[in-house]
Amino acid sequence: MANKLCIVFPGRRYSADRSLLYFPSRMMENRGFEVIDLHYDIPREVAETEPLEKNIRDAASYAVNHTDDVDWKKYDQIVFISKSIGTVVSGNIKKFIGEYGEKVHQILLTPLEETLPFIDKKDLVIVGDHDRFFTEPKKKLAQFPNAYIFPAFTHSLESKDNYRLSLKTLNDICGIIDSYLDSIGA
């Protein structure tokens, strides 16, 4: 059996226990992946006072410290699932691990503009077309074959007024991720 690793990089105020990260990470477990959930996020209930750039730096420092002992060479498959600031952090970790980064497939949920240099054509990208942290997604993601843009959705990929639409969208996103994992043989 192949050695498979999945690392979950949460967003700012969006923990690995929230739906867009929780259900995909359970998919990974069902596919035989060892899953590592990082927990650098700021609780949702806490008012955010730090600038986004500081949150990214702090999250990156946490991620480096908590992945430092990963034996990257022992894994045949590596998948990073990330949300928001986690997409910048996962991109940096992928770059940081050098040759082993070539094995990494990324699932990038609501990436930030700063994530663009880290996106490969093989990666999966899911974003809303009204995301204030990633404007003009159709234009910026045109070259990426695994990019999915949800119309009329913001950075949360949730509808504040329609929980049924939020659940349908979550189901659609999980279906996209499941198909993507099939396509990469995960």
Side-chain angles (χ1 to χ4, degrees), residues 76-95:
D76 303 310
Q77 287 187 310
I78 303 169
V79 175
F80 289 170
I81 302 174
S82 57
K83 166 99 173 73
S84 188
I85 69 168
T87 64
V88 179
V89 176
S90 68
N92 275 296
I93 294 289
K94 181 179 174 181
K95 183 179 173 183

Side-chain angles (χ1 to χ4, degrees), residues 5 7 9 67-76 78 80 93 96-97 100 103-104:
L5 174 67
I7 300 180
F9 297 83
T67 59
D68 197 37
D69 61 347
V70 172
D71 183 5
W72 300 103
K73 68 180 172 283
K74 89 174 195 181
Y75 295 101
D76 303 310
I78 303 169
F80 289 170
I93 294 289
F96 179 75
I97 62 175
Y100 305 111
K103 292 191 233 181
V104 174

Side-chain angles (χ1 to χ4, degrees), residues 26-91:
R26 299 304 65 87
M27 279 187 231
M28 301 308 289
E29 285 180 344
N30 289 337
R31 290 171 178 264
F33 279 75
E34 172 188 344
V35 176
I36 298 172
D37 291 328
L38 299 180
H39 297 284
Y40 54 72
D41 60 301
I42 297 155
R44 224 176 120 172
E45 299 76 26
V46 174
E48 181 50 57
T49 58
E50 300 289 341
L52 193 61
E53 295 75 23
K54 181 174 182 339
N55 291 140
I56 293 169
R57 281 192 311 274
D58 291 347
S61 176
Y62 177 95
V64 167
N65 288 334
H66 284 80
T67 59
D68 197 37
D69 61 347
V70 172
D71 183 5
W72 300 103
K73 68 180 172 283
K74 89 174 195 181
Y75 295 101
D76 303 310
Q77 287 187 310
I78 303 169
V79 175
F80 289 170
I81 302 174
S82 57
K83 166 99 173 73
S84 188
I85 69 168
T87 64
V88 179
V89 176
S90 68

